[in-house]
Amino acid sequence: MKEKLYTIPVNEAFAADCECPICLMKKTLEDNAIEFTMGPSYMEDDVRAETDKIGFCTHHVKKLYENQNRLGLALMLKTHMDKTIEDIEKLTKQGIKIASPSLFRKKTEDSLLKSYIDSLKNSCYICNKIENTFNRYIVTVFSLYTSDKDFVDTYKNSKGFCTTHYGLLYEEAPKYLKGDKLEEFINTLNRLYLANMKRVRDDLDWFTDKFDYRYVNEPWKNSKDALPRSMIKVNSIIE
């Protein structure tokens, strides 16, 4: 079965006036996942079985709390806690071997309890829901680059990417592009990233200058929103 390509959301993100279309795509996925999780779906057995098992990461449990469906979140956290308590009670009854540290002993295998807790720390229902579709979005970027001239033009005229997603595209490109097409994509990617990082850096520089009394009567130019735009470029934070 042919894998699904997501041309509409990818085209829309690249056509938007934003500092990183990849951030925008991921933020849209996150918003949709939050709405889905806090909607009627939280009462569905298959959804609750999954949230009971893996829970939510710190970032996304805060996002769920901000959604204002406090009852829905309380119900999901309560049954997740029930599952966690049940699992840990079973593990502690098995007798956990605790290895004492020693320079003369090889590192022992982690206990089942530690492995269980580590799995909880590194699992999140929202992250899982986002990841698969996000990966398909990235594949779609390269598919459109090879098949859609309008997309190529939009890509070349975009405002670049945050550092994280610049790195992601740079790393993934050789998997989907070859020869001249790959070289063209990477050269444009480098140009877009550096030129637009410098543009936002310069806006941020003027933003800081505006706090100096010598520039108080000077125009803001493009610097009024330089700080949030810089946060996108540097930390992939988009509101």
Side-chain angles (χ1 to χ4, degrees):
M1 181 177 178
K2 187 176 181 180
E3 290 185 284
K4 184 176 181 181
L5 294 178
Y6 295 85
T7 57
I8 294 175
V10 172
N11 273 313
E12 288 179 345
F14 272 83
D17 183 19
C18 67
E19 295 295 349
C20 179
I22 309 298
C23 280
L24 182 58
M25 290 190 292
K26 195 160 192 177
K27 177 66 164 55
T28 301
L29 284 174
E30 181 182 66
D31 290 345
N32 291 341
I34 295 291
E35 289 298 323
F36 172 84
T37 304
M38 299 311 296
S41 62
Y42 74 83
M43 294 301 294
E44 296 176 6
D45 291 343
D46 58 336
V47 173
R48 285 294 281 280
E50 195 68 14
T51 59
D52 288 352
K53 180 181 177 181
I54 65 177
F56 306 99
C57 67
T58 302
H59 170 72
H60 284 128
V61 81
K62 290 179 180 178
K63 290 288 185 180
L64 291 169
Y65 185 77
E66 292 168 2
N67 182 266
Q68 299 298 315
N69 183 354
R70 303 294 165 80
L71 174 60
L73 181 57
L75 290 170
M76 284 189 289
L77 289 181
K78 189 268 179 187
T79 52
H80 173 60
M81 293 169 75
D82 288 342
K83 179 72 166 59
T84 303
I85 291 167
E86 178 186 353
D87 290 344
I88 289 182
E89 282 180 338
K90 289 178 181 177
L91 289 170
T92 54
K93 287 176 182 177
Q94 293 178 15
I96 305 298
K97 292 182 179 179
I98 302 176
S100 58
S102 170
L103 292 174
F104 305 101
R105 294 181 58 179
K106 292 182 179 180
K107 183 178 179 181
T108 59
E109 292 184 3
D110 291 339
S111 69
L112 293 175
L113 180 59
K114 182 179 184 304
S115 296
Y116 175 77
I117 292 173
D118 285 346
S119 72
L120 285 181
K121 287 193 299 184
N122 295 301
S123 63
C124 173
Y125 177 78
I126 302 293
C127 288
N128 290 353
K129 193 167 182 60
I130 292 170
E131 197 62 24
N132 182 58
T133 304
F134 179 73
N135 290 338
R136 293 305 309 156
Y137 281 4
I138 299 304
V139 174
T140 303
V141 169
F142 296 113
S143 176
L144 286 170
Y145 193 82
T146 61
S147 63
D148 189 331
K149 184 181 180 302
D150 289 339
F151 176 80
V152 173
D153 292 339
T154 302
Y155 166 75
K156 290 179 177 180
N157 290 291
S158 71
K159 291 185 174 181
F161 307 91
C162 69
T163 301
T164 296
H165 293 136
Y166 160 69
L168 175 64
L169 292 174
Y170 192 97
E171 182 180 355
E172 293 294 306
K175 298 178 184 178
Y176 304 99
L177 304 175
K178 303 298 178 186
D180 292 343
K181 209 70 173 174
L182 174 61
E183 183 178 0
E184 178 189 71
F185 182 89
I186 293 296
N187 287 340
T188 304
L189 179 66
N190 291 336
R191 175 185 63 77
L192 286 171
Y193 174 74
L194 290 170
N196 286 286
M197 278 287 283
K198 291 173 183 178
R199 170 180 56 80
V200 176
R201 184 274 316 274
D202 291 347
D203 288 345
L204 190 65
D205 188 38
W206 184 245
F207 176 84
T208 61
D209 283 345
K210 279 292 294 175
F211 287 84
D212 188 320
Y213 73 93
R214 293 174 298 175
Y215 302 100
V216 67
N217 294 319
E218 297 294 326
W220 280 90
K221 303 178 184 177
N222 294 320
S223 71
K224 282 191 175 182
D225 63 344
L227 189 54
R229 289 190 289 112
S230 298
M231 291 166 65
I232 296 172
K233 291 296 192 190
V234 176
N235 296 103
S236 309
I237 296 174
I238 182 168
E239 298 297 333

